[in-house]
Amino acid sequence: MMKRRNTLQALAALAAVGLARPAFSQTTKIVFGYTAVTDFTSVFVAAEQGYFKKRGLDVELKFIPLNSTIPAAVQADSLHIGGPTPSVYLQSVDGGLDQVVVAGGGVTSKSITGFGLVARAGSGIKTAADCVGKKIGVPGLGAFLHVTFRAWLKSQGVDYKKVTFLEAAFPQHGDMLRGGSVDAVVSADPFMSRITDTGAGYVASYYSTFLPEGQPTIIHVARRDWAQKNAAAVRAFQQAVQEGATFMQNPKNNDAVRATVGKYIKLPPEVLAKMQISPPGPVVTTKQLDYWVSLMKDQDMLKTSPNVSSLIFK
């Protein structure tokens, strides 16, 4: 009788452990797409600190050269979750893709001067007005830097339609300036610092400081049908990214955070030591998406008025 009771107790204990497991008892594979910016740091940290693994997720981080290609990769299922800028995402929704926001990456801060307008040495570009008639490279047409730079030009009384924008990935910016194919680039660290250190260009404006605080620079999106089918995995992903953001915000973890960033966007220690890391914003709100919709409508980038509340995974 005692043996039977012990067996029943053991089975009950195993059942309790089973109930405590995530709904997706087997490891869920997620391919996540990122670009070479620090706005993805909370995801990098979640991967390195084991926050995904402990929640039953096997997350493969895949580098994507151009941010503007991420929604298409998500739609094609070559990525399960990807990190486009809000403007790239909203344009994809406007174009008919059914994708939802599952989490957030970095957010704007007036203390961040890690990106700006970098002009070619000898170009004479100093102000917004000097950009008229010039060729300017951006790391994604319709992406964060392109849209916010046009908003800055407009705030300075400049017609951005009188500027020619060319799409080019961050690593190409220095060569384009040296070769003279562009007059300036809208770039970000570490590429911006490398350009200025070599003398190929100079920072004409840290224009980003005109942006309001706390607006998302990167958002993590998935196809709606995939997110609904894998709801438990999406919740686990959200929790892991939030834990990664908490880790980032603890000053004692600064060295570990920088080493993690260096691993995923291939930076040497001397560059890592001085570069700014975008503050995390793991939760995206309808108010934040409304800000981006307004900014984009002001630039005639959207044909429709999206229902932003339906775009956030619940």
Side-chain angles (χ1 to χ4, degrees), residues 12 32 59 81 111 122 126 137 159 168 213 222 231 243 259 275 277 297:
F32 178 88
V59 179
I81 302 176
S111 65
K126 296 179 180 179
D159 182 358
E213 292 274 345
E243 190 171 2
M275 77 178 296
I277 295 177
K297 277 189 167 293

Side-chain angles (χ1 to χ4, degrees), residues 53-102:
K53 186 176 180 180
K54 78 176 184 180
R55 291 177 171 86
L57 300 179
D58 174 14
V59 179
E60 175 191 344
L61 273 61
K62 187 174 182 179
F63 172 68
I64 307 296
L66 281 174
N67 190 276
S68 55
T69 65
I70 289 178
V74 169
Q75 195 67 22
D77 209 32
S78 58
L79 299 175
H80 299 119
I81 302 176
T85 64
S87 54
V88 164
Y89 166 67
L90 289 168
Q91 278 192 306
S92 72
V93 170
D94 194 54
L97 298 189
D98 192 13
Q99 299 178 1
V100 291
V101 179
V102 300

Side-chain angles (χ1 to χ4, degrees), residues 38-47 52 104-106 220 240-241 244-245 248 280 282:
T38 66
D39 306 77
F40 290 93
T41 302
S42 57
V43 173
F44 300 156
V45 168
F52 291 131
H220 306 323
V241 171
M248 285 176 63

Side-chain angles (χ1 to χ4, degrees), residues 269-284:
E270 62 273 16
V271 175
L272 280 170
K274 61 182 181 180
M275 77 178 296
Q276 294 177 305
I277 295 177
S278 299
V283 178
V284 179

Side-chain angles (χ1 to χ4, degrees), residues 5 71 74 110 144 174 202:
R5 183 180 297 121
V74 169
K110 292 187 180 295
F144 176 83
Y202 58 93

Side-chain angles (χ1 to χ4, degrees), residues 113-127:
T113 54
F115 59 93
L117 174 65
V118 183
R120 189 183 75 248
S123 67
I125 297 174
K126 296 179 180 179
T127 67

